[in-house]
Amino acid sequence: MSSTMHSKELRRLALSVLQPGFTGTVAPPWILRAIAEGLSSVVLFTRNITSVEQVAQLAAQLRAENPELIIAIDEEAGDVTRLEAATGATRPGNFALGAVDDTELTEAVARDLGRQLHAAGVSLDYAPSVDVNSNPDNPIIGVRSFGVDAKVVSRHASSWVRGLQSAGVAACAKHFPGHGDVAVDSHHGLPRYDASAEEIAAQALPPFRAALDAGVRAVMSAHLLVPAYDGEVPATLSRRILIDLLRGELGFDGLIVTDAIEMGAVTGLYGIDGAAVRAITAGADALCVGGENAGEDTAELLVGALVAAASAGTLPPERLAEAAERVGGFARWSAALRRSVPADPVSRDIGFVAARRALRISGAGDGVLPLAAPAHVVELVPSTNLAVGNATPWGVAAPLRERLPGTTSVRIPRHEVTGRPGVLEERALAPATGRPLVVVVRDAARHGWMADALTSLVTARPDAVVVEMGLPGAEVPGAVRLFTHGATAASGVAAAEALAGPR
């Protein structure tokens, strides 16, 4: 084989292990050229989506170059949604499903989502999150988890995988070996999971085993340090975790895909190109990239780094070839899975049914609910992590206004609460004089400023109704408290229905 041919082959192999994003609602020329040269996967984000029909046209354009192209998306339903980012998800997320704890319902919701993704042409969904949210201060998982108990998470992980894949879309269990017991957002820094191997085996690994038993063929690695297995490099870059633990101990022989390789937890150590090479060397098969770095320049940087490392031998060429072959095998399997399932109609009703079943109400509701008059709704707004995104709408005010015309509302972010003395009196309490007051929070127990503001409002108005749309805290004040277990559009509707009463 000539050096030129060798270089071309290495480039083909390097392209095949990328799962890049791109900008626009049609495929840019560089993506189409890359597919022709060997690119086996792409990943879609909110910026690529205006409707299911448009995504289906985009998928057809992409697959004209390769009918088995893997088209991936990070669509968890719940708070992390791409298809419904403009409106909020019409299906509740994992924590709400875990709160209901009906595995048949979870399977039905995942199947319904799968039908929508199938209709859009998607073949791989980076979901479900099977992390056990054992740390209440976790800034990145929270309601993305099915719960705080490994047994609950395990049974719903199985149901979610079965439901999604029964609709012809491949699932991906994440974030291995478990992202639930951390206090740092891996988009920005390197979290540590300091449990012992025995604790990890009991707490974090059971849901992954359950997902594997349910037939999942893709697992996403986590960017976190797990000293019980490897005290030197994050899991995504660790052979001890990817090969010895995931492949050896758990017996997984499917596709290992990295969490977004541009995240600070790994790029802060090695740069995006260095992290990419180390991940493939350690045993990852595919590199998710392009959530933040979606240009041709990034893809070419990573391809160049992989080719250079393989040429130099720091990345064994046979390891790169093995990764490419596993991507190819997954592409063939996922394409066959899509073909085996007809495109079924989507019924969004199941999402609203699930959201209503997840709603919990506590406190003396008699004489308070349903509201006797249009309310003033105060939504205390935290910043969200990059997985969720700040642009996706959430809250109770809009659906409540539809049911109780005359309802008014205000959204108050942290900087106003902490930087403007008197803002709560001016914007929250004064407009609610003589009217019901509804205070909407999201993870109040995790945000000190929000908890303080909530306490101030309820002290001034002991009759206030509080709606918590994140993780329920130990003590939530208020005359009546509603817990939605997620901040989706469906969850907001369920809360508004409870507040307004029957139409």
Side-chain angles (χ1 to χ4, degrees), residues 290-327:
E292 300 169 65
N293 301 80
E296 181 181 9
D297 56 342
T298 297
E300 287 298 327
L301 173 67
L302 299 188
V303 167
L306 292 168
V307 168
S311 298
T314 52
L315 165 58
E318 58 271 19
R319 167 80 272 272
L320 181 59
E322 177 191 44
E325 176 53 36
R326 195 168 275 115
V327 171

Side-chain angles (χ1 to χ4, degrees), residues 74 80 82 140 185 187-188 263 292 384-390:
D74 190 13
V80 177
R82 307 300 174 221
I140 188 65
D185 183 346
H187 288 93
H188 308 298
M263 289 165 64
E292 300 169 65
T384 57
N385 61 64
L386 288 173
V388 175
N390 283 317

Side-chain angles (χ1 to χ4, degrees), residues 425-446:
E425 174 62 36
E426 173 191 341
R427 303 189 67 200
L429 295 172
T433 302
R435 306 167 55 193
L437 174 64
V438 177
V439 184
V440 183
V441 293
R442 190 173 182 180
D443 292 323
R446 209 168 53 76

Side-chain angles (χ1 to χ4, degrees), residues 410-421:
V410 63
R411 294 175 72 83
I412 308 179
R414 174 180 181 172
H415 68 86
E416 290 193 24
V417 172
T418 57
R420 287 182 54 193

Side-chain angles (χ1 to χ4, degrees), residues 330-341:
F330 183 89
R332 292 186 291 275
W333 171 79
S334 61
L337 181 65
R338 286 192 75 248
R339 291 192 297 267
S340 71
V341 177

